[in-house]
Amino acid sequence: IDNERRRRSPRLLSQQNAKSITSSTYEENSNNNNKTNNDDANLINKTKKRKSKVAPKKKASSTKGNKRSKPEDKNINRDKFLPRQREEELKVLYSNLQVIGVDEAGRGPLAGPVVAAAAIIPTNIVGVTDSKKITKEEDRELLYKKIVSSPYARWSVAIVDAKRIDEINILQATLQAMSMAASSLIRRSQYNGKIAKDATSKVDGCYVVCSSNDSSGEPILESNKNQDENQNEEYFALIDGNKIPKDLPCRSEAMVKGDSREFSIAAASILAKVTRDRLMHEYDIEYPEYELSRHKGYPTAVHMAKVRLLGATTIHRRSFAPLKHMIFDDNGKIIEDNN
């Protein structure tokens, strides 16, 4: 028995030692794992904290960048002008060439004329761009004055009234206005249509207003107006849109969205827009109940309500919906509304 005990005792001892070692090792590993897990958790928390600290900085810097960029973009639009890319290309192809920009204003309104302008503006003028992008009327007025008083500027605006629009439709009336403006600009002395001194509501029918400046930007006197017509000059018209009038007296090409791409067309768009707005202000005095200065003849809810209440004036386009579905008496009062 004693020998058996002695024989087994080392095994028991080793088992006991193994259990002790395993237990201590497990506890140590467990402690190490817990420590590792705690270290990992602390590392993750520190990383999150770092990210949370860094993220707002990035966001803040981005926001600050946006705040800085907005005024710069506005300054770019305000302090620059459109290029003359196509104009310069044409002047390489043709010698002694004058490039005319042509654009219109007032195709969509329910009342008032459609106005087209043709312009040769040699001087670059800061701020000249598509008139539709110049939202303030006073800014358009300021640019208009700069354009018409610039050195060697030559320009013409053509007014086609509502009666003519109803006769031939708005597209043909617009093309006619463009042709009138370009023709009177190129050969004013040979122009056979009506030429008025100013664009005003007092002038009836279709007519043009022309002007040209000397080297100091002063208008050339009536007695000397033929002097600016150089018979050796070639002309090329850049027309805003996708259609060209058939009877233009010079080479031409259409340029879609040209009023936002080419300087000369943008200058013409400002001349046409301001001329028409001025006319609508005058018509507002004649027909104050329609509030024409407010909407410039466009078919707003206010304008349509006034038409249904008061009828149509002589400057309303009867071929435009919803007027074309109405029957009027001689005074413009609505007899029947088929809308």
Side-chain angles (χ1 to χ4, degrees), residues 109-251:
L110 195 65
V114 62
V115 177
I120 300 172
I121 312 296
T123 305
N124 289 328
I125 299 171
V126 170
V128 170
T129 186
D130 178 8
S131 63
K132 294 185 289 297
K133 295 180 180 179
I134 307 171
T135 55
K136 293 183 179 179
E137 190 168 349
E138 56 267 30
D139 290 342
R140 293 194 297 269
E141 280 282 350
L142 179 61
L143 286 169
Y144 176 95
K145 292 175 183 177
K146 289 182 178 180
I147 292 169
V148 300
S149 61
S150 61
Y152 297 113
R154 293 170 59 183
W155 55 272
S156 176
V157 292
I159 292 85
V160 174
D161 65 358
K163 181 181 178 181
R164 184 60 175 165
I165 293 171
D166 288 339
E167 290 174 353
I168 62 176
N169 75 50
I170 185 59
L171 173 60
Q172 296 305 317
T174 301
L175 295 175
Q176 178 180 326
M178 288 179 168
S179 178
M180 290 167 59
S183 298
S184 58
L185 173 64
I186 293 172
R187 295 287 180 262
R188 178 172 22 194
S189 60
Q190 300 173 17
Y191 182 71
N192 295 323
K194 184 193 294 187
I195 300 177
K197 184 177 180 181
D198 297 301
T200 171
S201 62
K202 305 300 181 185
V203 180
D204 295 326
C206 306
Y207 61 96
V208 298
V209 177
C210 310
S211 187
S212 55
N213 296 342
D214 59 19
S215 59
S216 61
E218 293 296 325
I220 296 175
L221 298 176
E222 188 72 30
S223 57
N224 298 326
K225 280 187 177 179
N226 291 339
Q227 292 179 5
D228 67 317
E229 295 184 5
N230 187 341
Q231 300 297 326
N232 296 322
E233 284 181 336
E234 293 288 333
Y235 294 90
F236 197 107
L238 295 176
I239 314 291
D240 182 59
N242 60 359
K243 296 186 183 299
I244 298 174
K246 295 179 180 179
D247 52 351
L248 280 179
C250 63
R251 295 186 185 93

Side-chain angles (χ1 to χ4, degrees), residues 93-124:
L93 298 175
Y94 304 100
S95 60
N96 201 25
L97 184 71
Q98 294 285 355
V99 176
I100 306 170
V102 182
D103 199 6
E104 54 76 28
R107 288 187 63 176
L110 195 65
V114 62
V115 177
I120 300 172
I121 312 296
T123 305
N124 289 328

Side-chain angles (χ1 to χ4, degrees), residues 56-73:
K57 288 182 180 179
K58 289 182 179 179
K59 189 174 182 180
S61 63
S62 176
T63 304
K64 287 180 182 178
N66 289 338
K67 286 183 179 178
R68 284 195 299 270
S69 65
K70 285 181 180 178
E72 289 175 4
D73 293 342

Side-chain angles (χ1 to χ4, degrees), residues 7-25:
R7 187 175 64 82
R8 291 183 178 180
S9 59
R11 186 180 298 176
L12 291 172
L13 180 61
S14 62
Q15 288 177 354
Q16 290 174 357
N17 290 340
K19 288 182 181 179
S20 175
I21 292 170
T22 303
S23 176
S24 61
T25 304

